[in-house]
Coordinates of all heavy atoms in Angstrom, one line a residue:
M13 N 15.1 -16.2 -23.0 CA 15.4 -15.0 -23.8 C 14.3 -13.9 -23.6 O 14.6 -12.8 -23.5 CB 15.5 -15.5 -25.3 CG 16.0 -14.4 -26.3 SD 17.6 -13.7 -25.8 CE 17.8 -12.4 -26.9
K14 N 13.0 -14.4 -23.7 CA 11.9 -13.4 -23.6 C 12.1 -12.7 -22.2 O 11.8 -11.5 -22.1 CB 10.5 -14.2 -23.5 CG 9.9 -14.1 -24.9 CD 8.5 -14.5 -24.7 CE 7.8 -14.6 -26.0 NZ 6.7 -15.7 -26.1
N15 N 12.4 -13.4 -21.2 CA 12.7 -12.9 -19.8 C 13.6 -11.7 -19.9 O 13.5 -10.7 -19.2 CB 13.1 -13.9 -18.8 CG 11.8 -14.5 -18.1 OD1 10.8 -13.9 -18.2 ND2 12.0 -15.7 -17.5
I16 N 14.7 -12.0 -20.5 CA 15.8 -11.1 -20.6 C 15.4 -9.7 -21.2 O 15.5 -8.6 -20.8 CB 17.1 -11.6 -21.3 CG1 17.7 -12.7 -20.4 CG2 18.1 -10.4 -21.6 CD1 18.8 -13.6 -21.1
I17 N 14.6 -9.9 -22.3 CA 14.1 -8.7 -23.0 C 13.1 -8.0 -22.1 O 13.2 -6.8 -21.9 CB 13.4 -9.1 -24.3 CG1 14.5 -9.7 -25.3 CG2 12.6 -7.9 -25.0 CD1 13.9 -10.3 -26.5
A18 N 12.3 -8.8 -21.4 CA 11.3 -8.1 -20.5 C 12.0 -7.4 -19.4 O 11.7 -6.2 -19.1 CB 10.4 -9.2 -19.9
I19 N 13.0 -8.0 -18.8 CA 13.8 -7.3 -17.8 C 14.5 -6.1 -18.3 O 14.4 -5.0 -17.7 CB 14.8 -8.3 -17.1 CG1 14.1 -9.3 -16.3 CG2 15.8 -7.5 -16.1 CD1 14.9 -10.6 -15.9
A20 N 15.0 -6.2 -19.4 CA 15.8 -5.1 -20.0 C 14.9 -3.9 -20.3 O 15.1 -2.8 -20.0 CB 16.5 -5.5 -21.3
S21 N 13.7 -4.2 -20.8 CA 12.7 -3.1 -21.2 C 12.2 -2.5 -19.8 O 12.0 -1.3 -19.7 CB 11.6 -3.5 -22.1 OG 11.1 -4.7 -21.7
F22 N 12.0 -3.4 -18.8 CA 11.5 -2.8 -17.6 C 12.5 -1.9 -17.0 O 12.2 -0.8 -16.6 CB 11.2 -4.0 -16.6 CG 10.6 -3.6 -15.3 CD1 9.4 -3.0 -15.3 CD2 11.3 -4.0 -14.1 CE1 8.9 -2.6 -14.0 CE2 10.8 -3.6 -12.9 CZ 9.6 -2.8 -12.9
A23 N 13.8 -2.3 -17.0 CA 14.9 -1.5 -16.5 C 14.9 -0.2 -17.2 O 15.1 0.9 -16.7 CB 16.2 -2.2 -16.6
T24 N 14.7 -0.3 -18.6 CA 14.7 1.0 -19.3 C 13.6 2.0 -18.9 O 13.8 3.2 -18.7 CB 14.6 0.7 -20.8 OG1 15.5 -0.3 -21.2 CG2 14.8 1.9 -21.7
I25 N 12.4 1.4 -18.8 CA 11.3 2.2 -18.3 C 11.5 2.8 -17.0 O 11.3 4.0 -16.8 CB 9.9 1.3 -18.2 CG1 9.5 0.9 -19.7 CG2 8.9 2.0 -17.5 CD1 8.6 -0.3 -19.7
L26 N 12.1 2.0 -16.1 CA 12.5 2.6 -14.7 C 13.4 3.7 -14.8 O 13.2 4.8 -14.3 CB 13.1 1.4 -13.9 CG 12.3 0.7 -12.9 CD1 13.2 -0.2 -12.1 CD2 11.5 1.7 -12.0
L27 N 14.5 3.5 -15.6 CA 15.5 4.6 -15.9 C 14.8 5.8 -16.4 O 15.0 6.9 -15.9 CB 16.5 4.0 -16.9 CG 17.9 3.7 -16.3 CD1 18.8 3.2 -17.4 CD2 18.5 4.8 -15.5
V28 N 14.1 5.7 -17.4 CA 13.4 6.8 -18.1 C 12.5 7.6 -17.2 O 12.6 8.7 -17.0 CB 12.7 6.4 -19.4 CG1 11.8 7.5 -20.0 CG2 13.7 5.8 -20.4
S29 N 11.7 6.7 -16.4 CA 10.8 7.4 -15.5 C 11.4 8.1 -14.4 O 11.0 9.2 -13.9 CB 9.7 6.4 -15.1 OG 10.3 5.4 -14.3
C30 N 12.6 7.6 -14.0 CA 13.4 8.2 -12.9 C 13.9 9.6 -13.4 O 13.8 10.6 -12.7 CB 14.5 7.4 -12.4 SG 13.8 6.1 -11.3
T31 N 14.6 9.6 -14.5 CA 15.3 10.7 -15.0 C 14.3 11.7 -15.4 O 14.6 13.0 -15.2 CB 16.2 10.4 -16.2 OG1 15.5 9.5 -17.1 CG2 17.5 9.6 -15.8
S32 N 13.1 11.4 -15.9 CA 12.2 12.4 -16.4 C 11.6 13.2 -15.1 O 10.8 14.1 -15.3 CB 11.2 11.8 -17.3 OG 10.4 10.9 -16.6
K33 N 11.8 12.6 -14.0 CA 11.1 13.3 -12.9 C 11.9 14.5 -12.3 O 11.5 15.1 -11.4 CB 11.0 12.2 -11.7 CG 9.6 11.7 -11.5 CD 9.5 10.8 -10.3 CE 8.6 9.7 -10.6 NZ 9.2 8.3 -10.1
A34 N 13.1 14.7 -12.9 CA 13.9 15.8 -12.5 C 13.1 17.1 -12.6 O 12.4 17.3 -13.6 CB 15.2 15.9 -13.3
P35 N 13.2 17.9 -11.6 CA 12.5 19.2 -11.6 C 12.8 20.0 -12.9 O 14.0 20.1 -13.3 CB 12.8 20.0 -10.4 CG 14.0 19.2 -9.8 CD 14.0 17.8 -10.4
V36 N 11.8 20.8 -13.4 CA 12.0 21.6 -14.6 C 12.9 22.8 -14.4 O 13.7 23.1 -15.1 CB 10.7 22.0 -15.2 CG1 10.8 22.7 -16.5 CG2 9.7 20.7 -15.3
A37 N 12.6 23.5 -13.2 CA 13.2 24.7 -13.0 C 14.5 24.4 -12.3 O 14.6 24.1 -11.2 CB 12.4 25.6 -12.1
K38 N 15.6 24.5 -13.1 CA 16.9 24.0 -12.6 C 17.6 25.2 -11.8 O 18.1 24.9 -10.7 CB 17.8 23.5 -13.7 CG 17.7 22.1 -13.9 CD 18.4 21.7 -15.2 CE 17.4 21.6 -16.4 NZ 18.0 21.8 -17.7
S39 N 17.6 26.3 -12.4 CA 18.4 27.4 -11.8 C 17.3 28.4 -11.1 O 16.6 29.2 -11.8 CB 19.2 28.2 -12.9 OG 18.3 28.5 -13.9
A40 N 17.3 28.4 -9.8 CA 16.6 29.4 -9.1 C 17.3 30.8 -9.2 O 18.4 30.8 -8.9 CB 16.4 29.0 -7.6
P41 N 16.6 31.8 -9.7 CA 17.2 33.0 -9.8 C 17.7 33.6 -8.4 O 16.8 33.5 -7.5 CB 16.2 33.9 -10.5 CG 14.9 33.2 -10.4 CD 15.2 31.8 -10.2
I42 N 18.8 34.2 -8.3 CA 19.3 34.6 -7.0 C 18.6 35.7 -6.4 O 18.1 35.7 -5.3 CB 20.8 34.8 -7.1 CG1 21.5 33.6 -7.6 CG2 21.4 35.3 -5.6 CD1 22.6 33.9 -8.6
A43 N 18.4 36.8 -7.2 CA 17.8 38.1 -6.6 C 16.4 38.1 -6.8 O 15.8 39.1 -7.0 CB 18.5 39.3 -7.3
S44 N 15.7 36.9 -6.7 CA 14.3 36.9 -7.0 C 13.5 36.5 -5.7 O 14.0 35.7 -5.0 CB 14.0 36.1 -8.1 OG 12.5 35.8 -8.0
T45 N 12.3 37.2 -5.6 CA 11.5 36.8 -4.4 C 10.3 35.8 -4.9 O 9.5 35.4 -4.1 CB 10.8 38.0 -3.8 OG1 10.3 38.8 -4.7 CG2 12.0 38.8 -3.0
S46 N 10.3 35.6 -6.2 CA 9.1 34.8 -6.8 C 9.4 33.4 -6.6 O 10.7 32.9 -6.7 CB 8.9 35.2 -8.2 OG 8.5 36.5 -8.4
T47 N 8.4 32.6 -6.4 CA 8.5 31.2 -6.4 C 8.6 30.6 -7.7 O 8.3 31.3 -8.8 CB 7.3 30.5 -5.8 OG1 6.2 30.8 -6.6 CG2 7.0 31.1 -4.4
P48 N 9.2 29.4 -8.0 CA 9.2 28.8 -9.3 C 7.8 28.8 -10.0 O 7.8 29.0 -11.3 CB 9.7 27.4 -9.1 CG 10.4 27.5 -7.8 CD 9.7 28.5 -7.1
E49 N 6.8 28.7 -9.3 CA 5.5 28.7 -9.9 C 5.1 30.1 -10.4 O 4.5 30.2 -11.5 CB 4.4 28.3 -8.8 CG 4.3 26.9 -8.4 CD 5.5 26.5 -7.5 OE1 6.0 27.4 -6.8 OE2 5.8 25.3 -7.4
Q50 N 5.5 31.1 -9.7 CA 5.2 32.5 -10.1 C 6.1 32.8 -11.5 O 5.6 33.5 -12.3 CB 5.5 33.5 -9.0 CG 4.5 33.4 -8.0 CD 4.9 34.2 -6.7 OE1 6.1 34.4 -6.4 NE2 3.9 34.6 -6.0
I51 N 7.2 32.3 -11.4 CA 8.2 32.5 -12.6 C 7.6 31.8 -13.8 O 7.6 32.3 -15.0 CB 9.5 32.0 -12.3 CG1 10.2 33.0 -11.3 CG2 10.4 31.9 -13.5 CD1 11.5 32.6 -10.7
A52 N 7.0 30.6 -13.5 CA 6.3 29.9 -14.6 C 5.1 30.6 -15.2 O 4.9 30.6 -16.4 CB 5.9 28.4 -14.2
Q53 N 4.4 31.3 -14.2 CA 3.3 32.1 -14.6 C 3.8 33.3 -15.5 O 3.3 33.7 -16.4 CB 2.6 32.7 -13.4 CG 1.7 31.7 -12.7 CD 0.4 32.4 -12.3 OE1 -0.2 33.0 -13.1 NE2 0.1 32.2 -11.1
G54 N 5.0 33.9 -15.0 CA 5.6 35.0 -15.7 C 5.9 34.6 -17.1 O 5.7 35.4 -18.1
K55 N 6.4 33.4 -17.3 CA 6.7 32.9 -18.7 C 5.4 32.9 -19.5 O 5.4 33.3 -20.6 CB 7.4 31.5 -18.6 CG 7.7 30.9 -19.9 CD 8.4 29.5 -19.7 CE 9.1 29.0 -20.9 NZ 8.3 28.5 -21.9
T56 N 4.3 32.3 -19.0 CA 3.2 32.3 -19.7 C 2.6 33.6 -20.1 O 2.2 33.9 -21.2 CB 2.1 31.5 -18.9 OG1 2.6 30.2 -18.4 CG2 0.8 31.2 -19.7
I57 N 2.6 34.5 -19.0 CA 2.2 35.9 -19.4 C 3.0 36.6 -20.5 O 2.5 37.2 -21.4 CB 2.2 36.8 -18.0 CG1 1.3 36.2 -17.0 CG2 1.9 38.2 -18.3 CD1 1.5 36.6 -15.6
F58 N 4.3 36.4 -20.2 CA 5.3 36.9 -21.3 C 4.9 36.4 -22.7 O 4.8 37.2 -23.6 CB 6.7 36.4 -20.9 CG 7.8 36.9 -21.9 CD1 8.3 38.1 -21.9 CD2 8.3 35.9 -22.7 CE1 9.3 38.4 -22.8 CE2 9.3 36.2 -23.6 CZ 9.8 37.5 -23.6
E59 N 4.8 35.1 -22.8 CA 4.5 34.6 -24.2 C 3.1 35.0 -24.7 O 3.0 35.1 -25.9 CB 4.5 33.0 -24.1 CG 5.9 32.5 -24.0 CD 6.1 31.0 -23.5 OE1 5.1 30.4 -23.1 OE2 7.3 30.5 -23.5
N60 N 2.2 35.3 -23.8 CA 0.8 35.6 -24.3 C 0.7 37.2 -24.5 O -0.1 37.6 -25.3 CB -0.2 35.1 -23.4 CG -0.3 33.6 -23.3 OD1 -0.1 33.0 -24.3 ND2 -0.8 33.1 -22.2
S61 N 1.5 37.9 -23.7 CA 1.2 39.4 -23.8 C 2.3 40.2 -24.5 O 2.0 41.3 -24.9 CB 1.1 39.9 -22.3 OG 0.3 39.1 -21.6
C62 N 3.5 39.6 -24.6 CA 4.7 40.4 -25.1 C 4.9 40.3 -26.6 O 5.9 40.9 -27.0 CB 5.8 40.2 -24.1 SG 5.4 40.5 -22.4
G63 N 4.2 39.5 -27.2 CA 4.5 39.2 -28.6 C 3.3 39.8 -29.5 O 3.2 39.5 -30.6
R64 N 2.4 40.6 -28.8 CA 1.3 41.1 -29.5 C 1.6 42.3 -30.4 O 1.2 42.3 -31.6 CB 0.1 41.5 -28.5 CG -0.5 40.3 -27.8 CD -2.0 40.8 -27.5 NE -2.0 42.0 -26.8 CZ -2.1 42.1 -25.4 NH1 -2.3 41.0 -24.7 NH2 -2.2 43.3 -24.8
C65 N 2.5 43.2 -30.0 CA 2.8 44.3 -30.8 C 4.0 44.2 -31.5 O 4.3 44.9 -32.5 CB 2.9 45.5 -29.8 SG 1.5 45.8 -28.8
H66 N 4.9 43.3 -31.1 CA 6.2 43.1 -31.8 C 6.6 41.6 -31.6 O 5.9 40.9 -30.8 CB 7.3 44.0 -31.2 CG 7.3 44.1 -29.7 ND1 7.6 43.1 -28.9 CD2 7.0 45.2 -28.9 CE1 7.5 43.4 -27.7 NE2 7.1 44.7 -27.6
K67 N 7.7 41.2 -32.2 CA 8.1 39.9 -32.0 C 8.4 39.6 -30.6 O 8.9 40.6 -29.9 CB 9.4 39.7 -32.8 CG 9.4 38.5 -33.7 CD 10.7 38.4 -34.6 CE 11.8 37.6 -34.1 NZ 12.9 38.2 -33.5
L68 N 8.1 38.4 -30.1 CA 8.5 38.1 -28.7 C 9.9 38.4 -28.5 O 10.8 37.8 -29.1 CB 8.1 36.7 -28.5 CG 7.8 36.2 -27.0 CD1 6.7 37.0 -26.3 CD2 7.6 34.7 -26.9
P69 N 10.3 39.3 -27.5 CA 11.7 39.6 -27.4 C 12.4 38.3 -26.7 O 11.9 37.5 -26.2 CB 11.7 40.7 -26.3 CG 10.3 40.9 -25.8 CD 9.4 40.1 -26.7
D70 N 13.7 38.3 -27.1 CA 14.7 37.3 -26.6 C 15.1 37.7 -25.1 O 15.8 38.7 -25.0 CB 15.8 37.0 -27.4 CG 16.7 36.1 -26.9 OD1 16.6 35.5 -25.9 OD2 17.8 35.8 -27.5
P71 N 14.6 36.9 -24.1 CA 15.0 37.4 -22.7 C 16.5 37.6 -22.5 O 16.9 38.4 -21.7 CB 14.5 36.2 -21.9 CG 13.4 35.6 -22.6 CD 13.8 35.7 -24.1
T72 N 17.4 36.8 -23.3 CA 18.8 36.9 -23.0 C 19.4 38.1 -23.8 O 20.6 38.3 -23.7 CB 19.4 35.6 -23.4 OG1 19.3 35.4 -24.9 CG2 18.9 34.4 -22.8
S73 N 18.6 38.9 -24.6 CA 19.2 39.9 -25.4 C 19.4 41.2 -24.6 O 19.8 42.1 -25.1 CB 18.3 40.2 -26.6 OG 17.1 40.6 -26.3
H74 N 18.8 41.2 -23.4 CA 19.0 42.4 -22.4 C 19.4 42.0 -21.1 O 19.2 40.9 -20.7 CB 17.8 43.2 -22.3 CG 17.1 43.7 -23.7 ND1 17.5 44.8 -24.3 CD2 16.2 43.1 -24.5 CE1 16.9 45.0 -25.5 NE2 16.1 43.9 -25.6
S75 N 20.2 42.9 -20.5 CA 20.7 42.5 -19.1 C 19.5 42.8 -18.1 O 18.5 43.3 -18.4 CB 21.9 43.5 -18.7 OG 21.4 44.8 -18.6
S76 N 19.8 42.3 -16.9 CA 18.7 42.4 -15.9 C 18.4 43.9 -15.6 O 17.3 44.3 -15.3 CB 19.0 41.6 -14.6 OG 20.2 42.1 -14.1
V77 N 19.5 44.7 -15.7 CA 19.3 46.2 -15.5 C 18.5 46.8 -16.6 O 17.5 47.6 -16.3 CB 20.6 46.8 -15.3 CG1 20.5 48.4 -15.2 CG2 21.4 46.4 -14.1
Q78 N 18.7 46.4 -17.9 CA 17.9 46.9 -19.0 C 16.5 46.5 -18.9 O 15.6 47.2 -19.2 CB 18.6 46.4 -20.3 CG 19.9 47.0 -20.6 CD 20.5 46.4 -21.9 OE1 20.5 45.1 -22.0 NE2 21.0 47.2 -22.7
W79 N 16.2 45.2 -18.3 CA 14.9 44.7 -18.2 C 14.0 45.5 -17.3 O 12.9 45.6 -17.4 CB 14.9 43.2 -17.8 CG 15.0 42.3 -19.1 CD1 16.1 41.5 -19.3 CD2 14.2 42.2 -20.2 NE1 15.9 40.8 -20.5 CE2 14.7 41.3 -21.1 CE3 12.9 42.8 -20.4 CZ2 14.0 40.9 -22.3 CZ3 12.3 42.3 -21.7 CH2 12.8 41.4 -22.5
V80 N 14.7 46.1 -16.3 CA 14.0 46.9 -15.3 C 13.3 48.0 -16.1 O 12.1 48.3 -16.0 CB 14.9 47.5 -14.2 CG1 14.0 48.4 -13.3 CG2 15.4 46.4 -13.4
G81 N 14.0 48.7 -16.9 CA 13.6 49.9 -17.7 C 12.5 49.4 -18.7 O 11.5 50.0 -18.9
I82 N 12.9 48.3 -19.5 CA 12.0 47.8 -20.5 C 10.6 47.4 -19.9 O 9.6 47.8 -20.4 CB 12.6 46.6 -21.2 CG1 13.8 47.0 -22.0 CG2 11.6 45.9 -22.1 CD1 14.7 45.9 -22.5
M83 N 10.7 46.7 -18.7 CA 9.4 46.2 -18.1 C 8.6 47.5 -17.6 O 7.3 47.5 -17.6 CB 9.6 45.3 -17.0 CG 10.0 43.9 -17.4 SD 8.8 43.2 -18.6 CE 7.4 43.1 -17.5
N84 N 9.3 48.6 -17.1 CA 8.6 49.7 -16.7 C 7.9 50.4 -17.8 O 6.8 50.9 -17.6 CB 9.6 50.7 -16.0 CG 10.0 50.3 -14.6 OD1 9.2 49.5 -14.0 ND2 11.0 50.9 -14.1
S85 N 8.3 50.3 -19.1 CA 7.6 50.9 -20.2 C 6.7 49.9 -20.8 O 5.6 50.3 -21.3 CB 8.6 51.6 -21.1 OG 9.4 50.6 -21.7
M86 N 6.9 48.7 -20.8 CA 6.1 47.6 -21.5 C 5.0 47.1 -20.6 O 3.9 46.7 -21.2 CB 7.0 46.4 -22.0 CG 7.9 46.8 -23.1 SD 7.0 47.5 -24.5 CE 8.2 48.7 -25.0
A87 N 5.2 47.0 -19.3 CA 4.1 46.4 -18.4 C 2.8 47.2 -18.6 O 1.8 46.6 -18.8 CB 4.6 46.4 -17.0
P88 N 2.9 48.5 -18.6 CA 1.5 49.2 -18.8 C 1.0 49.0 -20.2 O -0.2 48.9 -20.3 CB 2.0 50.8 -18.6 CG 3.3 50.7 -17.9 CD 4.0 49.5 -18.2
K89 N 1.9 48.9 -21.2 CA 1.4 48.6 -22.6 C 0.6 47.3 -22.6 O -0.4 47.1 -23.2 CB 2.6 48.5 -23.6 CG 3.2 49.9 -24.0 CD 4.0 49.7 -25.1 CE 5.1 50.8 -25.4 NZ 4.4 52.1 -25.8
A90 N 1.2 46.3 -21.9 CA 0.6 44.9 -21.9 C -0.5 44.9 -20.8 O -1.0 43.8 -20.6 CB 1.7 43.9 -21.6
K91 N -0.7 46.0 -20.1 CA -1.8 46.1 -19.0 C -1.5 45.0 -17.9 O -2.5 44.3 -17.6 CB -3.1 45.9 -19.7 CG -3.4 47.0 -20.6 CD -4.9 47.1 -21.1 CE -5.3 48.4 -21.8 NZ -4.6 48.6 -23.0
L92 N -0.3 44.9 -17.6 CA -0.1 43.9 -16.5 C -0.3 44.6 -15.0 O -0.1 45.7 -14.9 CB 1.5 43.4 -16.5 CG 2.0 42.9 -17.8 CD1 3.4 42.4 -17.7 CD2 1.1 41.7 -18.3
T93 N -0.7 43.7 -14.2 CA -0.7 44.1 -12.7 C 0.6 44.2 -12.2 O 1.6 43.8 -12.8 CB -1.6 43.2 -11.9 OG1 -0.9 41.9 -11.8 CG2 -3.0 43.0 -12.5
D94 N 0.8 44.9 -11.0 CA 2.1 44.9 -10.4 C 2.7 43.5 -10.3 O 3.9 43.3 -10.5 CB 2.1 45.6 -9.1 CG 1.8 47.2 -9.2 OD1 1.9 47.7 -10.4 OD2 1.5 47.8 -8.3
E95 N 1.8 42.6 -9.8 CA 2.3 41.2 -9.6 C 2.8 40.6 -10.9 O 3.9 40.0 -10.9 CB 1.2 40.4 -9.0 CG 1.2 40.4 -7.5 CD 0.1 39.3 -7.0 OE1 -1.0 39.3 -7.7 OE2 0.4 38.8 -5.9
Q96 N 2.0 40.7 -11.9 CA 2.4 40.2 -13.2 C 3.7 40.8 -13.7 O 4.5 40.1 -14.2 CB 1.2 40.4 -14.2 CG 0.0 39.5 -13.8 CD -1.3 39.9 -14.7 OE1 -1.3 41.1 -15.1 NE2 -2.1 39.0 -15.0
H97 N 3.8 42.1 -13.5 CA 5.0 42.8 -13.9 C 6.2 42.2 -13.3 O 7.2 41.8 -13.9 CB 4.8 44.3 -13.5 CG 6.0 45.2 -13.7 ND1 5.9 46.6 -13.8 CD2 7.3 44.9 -13.9 CE1 7.1 47.1 -14.0 NE2 8.0 46.0 -14.1
Q98 N 6.1 41.9 -11.9 CA 7.1 41.3 -11.2 C 7.5 39.9 -11.7 O 8.6 39.5 -11.9 CB 6.8 41.2 -9.7 CG 7.9 40.6 -8.8 CD 9.0 41.5 -8.7 OE1 9.0 42.8 -8.6 NE2 10.2 40.9 -8.8
W99 N 6.4 39.1 -11.9 CA 6.7 37.7 -12.4 C 7.3 37.7 -13.7 O 8.2 36.9 -14.0 CB 5.3 36.9 -12.4 CG 4.6 36.8 -11.1 CD1 5.3 37.0 -9.9 CD2 3.3 36.6 -10.8 NE1 4.3 36.8 -8.9 CE2 3.1 36.6 -9.5 CE3 2.2 36.3 -11.7 CZ2 1.8 36.3 -9.0 CZ3 0.9 36.1 -11.1 CH2 0.8 36.1 -9.7
V100 N 6.8 38.5 -14.7 CA 7.4 38.5 -16.0 C 8.9 39.0 -16.0 O 9.8 38.3 -16.5 CB 6.6 39.4 -16.9 CG1 7.4 39.6 -18.3 CG2 5.1 38.9 -17.2
Y101 N 9.2 40.0 -15.1 CA 10.5 40.4 -14.9 C 11.4 39.3 -14.3 O 12.4 38.9 -14.9 CB 10.6 41.6 -13.9 CG 12.0 41.9 -13.6 CD1 12.8 42.7 -14.6 CD2 12.6 41.5 -12.4 CE1 14.1 43.1 -14.3 CE2 14.0 41.9 -12.2 CZ 14.7 42.6 -13.1 OH 16.0 42.9 -12.9
D102 N 10.9 38.6 -13.3 CA 11.6 37.5 -12.7 C 11.9 36.4 -13.7 O 12.9 35.7 -13.7 CB 11.0 36.9 -11.4 CG 11.1 38.0 -10.3 OD1 12.0 38.6 -10.3 OD2 10.3 38.0 -9.4
Y103 N 10.9 36.1 -14.5 CA 11.1 35.1 -15.6 C 12.2 35.5 -16.6 O 13.1 34.8 -16.8 CB 9.8 34.9 -16.4 CG 10.1 34.2 -17.7 CD1 10.6 32.9 -17.7 CD2 9.8 34.9 -18.9 CE1 10.9 32.3 -19.0 CE2 10.2 34.2 -20.1 CZ 10.7 32.9 -20.1 OH 11.1 32.4 -21.3
V104 N 12.1 36.8 -17.2 CA 13.0 37.1 -18.2 C 14.5 37.1 -17.7 O 15.4 36.7 -18.4 CB 12.7 38.5 -18.9 CG1 11.6 38.3 -19.8 CG2 12.6 39.6 -18.0
V105 N 14.6 37.5 -16.4 CA 16.0 37.6 -16.0 C 16.5 36.2 -15.4 O 17.6 36.0 -15.1 CB 16.2 38.6 -14.8 CG1 15.9 40.0 -15.2 CG2 15.4 38.3 -13.6
S106 N 15.5 35.2 -15.3 CA 15.9 33.9 -14.9 C 16.4 33.1 -16.1 O 17.0 32.0 -15.9 CB 14.7 33.2 -14.2 OG 13.8 32.8 -15.2
V107 N 16.2 33.6 -17.3 CA 16.5 32.9 -18.6 C 18.0 33.2 -18.8 O 18.4 34.4 -18.8 CB 15.8 33.3 -19.8 CG1 16.2 32.6 -21.0 CG2 14.3 33.0 -19.5
K108 N 18.9 32.1 -18.9 CA 20.2 32.4 -19.1 C 20.7 31.9 -20.5 O 20.2 31.0 -21.0 CB 21.1 31.6 -18.1 CG 21.0 32.2 -16.7 CD 21.7 33.5 -16.6 CE 21.4 34.3 -15.2 NZ 20.2 34.2 -14.6
Ligands
HEC11 C1 0.6 47.6 -26.8 C2 1.7 47.2 -27.6 C3 2.9 46.6 -26.8 C4 2.9 45.5 -25.9 C5 1.7 44.7 -25.4 C6 4.3 45.2 -25.6 N1 5.1 46.1 -26.2 FE1 7.1 46.0 -26.2 N2 7.2 47.5 -27.5 C7 6.1 48.2 -28.1 C8 6.6 49.3 -28.8 C9 5.7 50.2 -29.7 C10 8.0 49.2 -28.8 C11 9.1 50.2 -29.5 C12 9.0 51.5 -29.0 C13 9.4 51.6 -27.5 O1 10.5 51.3 -27.2 O2 8.5 52.2 -26.8 C14 8.4 48.2 -28.0 C15 9.6 47.8 -27.6 C16 10.0 46.7 -26.8 C17 11.4 46.3 -26.7 C18 12.7 46.8 -27.2 C19 13.2 47.8 -26.3 C20 14.6 48.2 -26.5 O3 15.0 49.1 -25.8 O4 15.2 47.6 -27.4 C21 11.3 45.2 -25.8 C22 12.5 44.4 -25.3 C23 9.9 45.0 -25.4 N3 9.2 46.0 -26.2 C24 9.5 44.1 -24.6 C25 8.2 43.9 -24.3 C26 7.6 43.0 -23.1 C27 8.6 42.1 -22.3 C28 6.3 43.0 -23.2 C29 5.3 42.3 -22.3 C30 5.4 42.7 -20.9 C31 5.9 44.0 -24.2 N4 7.0 44.5 -24.8 C32 4.6 44.2 -24.6 C33 4.9 47.9 -27.8 C34 4.4 46.9 -27.0

């Protein structure tokens, strides 16, 4: 009996550890030149820089075209470099 329990829990651990290895970034944005790492950076920058003056905006509340204009006016406010501007943009449009 003890063996069965041991085998069962071992199997569960195996299952869990396998499924949790799935990559985090599931949907690679199509029109983006940024790597998943850069998009992850964009997310961090977004969360740290874009909620200072107002509530953190919801990435899905604007279209990718609207985000171009928003980022053009907000990136200088948040004092982003051109690269950071690109990463934050690629992050917000990657959120579906
Ligand atoms: C220095 C302050 C400041 C920072 C930092 C800032 N914003 Fe803003 N944001 C504003 C102000 C002020 C407004 C409202 C007036 C305006 O549209 O210029 C605004 C408005 C917005 C809006 C609404 C625009 C619309 O058309 O509905 C969005 C979305 C937005 N910001 C996103 C961002 C993002 C993304 C970042 C980070 C890159 C950011 N903001 C950083 C000050 C800031």
Side-chain angles (χ1 to χ4, degrees):
M13 189 56 184
K14 259 196 188 145
N15 266 343
I16 292 172
I17 292 169
I19 290 165
S21 49
F22 184 58
T24 310
I25 291 163
L26 262 188
L27 255 180
V28 170
S29 58
C30 283
T31 49
S32 64
K33 255 186 222 135
V36 184
K38 271 170 266 162
S39 53
I42 300 136
S44 164
T45 51
S46 294
T47 65
E49 288 76 21
Q50 291 170 330
I51 290 171
Q53 285 224 47
K55 180 178 195 287
T56 307
I57 296 162
F58 174 79
E59 287 168 350
N60 291 332
S61 314
C62 303
R64 286 212 308 261
C65 304
H66 43 65
K67 228 173 98 251
L68 201 59
D70 177 0
T72 62
S73 63
H74 300 276
S75 71
S76 54
V77 174
Q78 290 172 315
W79 275 116
V80 174
I82 293 166
M83 284 306 296
N84 282 342
S85 57
M86 291 300 143
K89 284 194 201 295
K91 300 192 165 58
L92 303 187
T93 66
D94 288 349
E95 273 189 322
Q96 292 171 327
H97 177 158
Q98 182 67 43
W99 298 341
V100 171
Y101 175 79
D102 287 332
Y103 161 67
V104 290
V105 300
S106 76
V107 179
K108 292 285 166 336

